[in-house]
Amino acid sequence: MAALNRALARVPAHRVRLHVCWGNYEGPHVDDVDLAPLLPLLYRARVGGLVLSMANPRHATSIACSPPTRCPTTGC
């Protein structure tokens, strides 16, 4: 994340979206890494938003954060 933030240092955060392919593959999603441990790392990125591909439509899942979390950078 430090390397990403250094690379984006001169780019305004509101101009950047971080796309993360999490659980986005053909096949059963029984071995996906939990999202909760990844969120603190993702929230360290100096970006205006996160785009999380949760699953392909064939194996769609819904994700609920408990308790709901807010991005510390933007507050959204």
Side-chain angles (χ1 to χ4, degrees):
M1 202 55 63
L4 177 69
N5 285 336
R6 278 193 306 275
L8 295 171
R10 295 184 182 192
V11 180
H14 74 276
R15 305 277 311 214
V16 180
R17 301 295 179 266
L18 177 61
H19 178 101
V20 180
C21 291
W22 175 79
N24 190 11
Y25 58 89
E26 293 283 338
H29 292 272
V30 296
D31 294 320
D32 289 351
V33 175
D34 288 336
L35 179 61
L38 298 177
L39 287 176
L41 174 66
L42 296 176
Y43 285 156
R44 288 179 24 211
R46 292 186 204 127
V47 298
L50 296 173
V51 179
L52 300 170
S53 298
M54 297 304 187
N56 61 48
R58 186 169 153 225
H59 301 286
T61 60
S62 61
I63 302 300
C65 293
S66 179
T69 55
R70 297 181 76 76
C71 176
T73 305
T74 62
C76 58

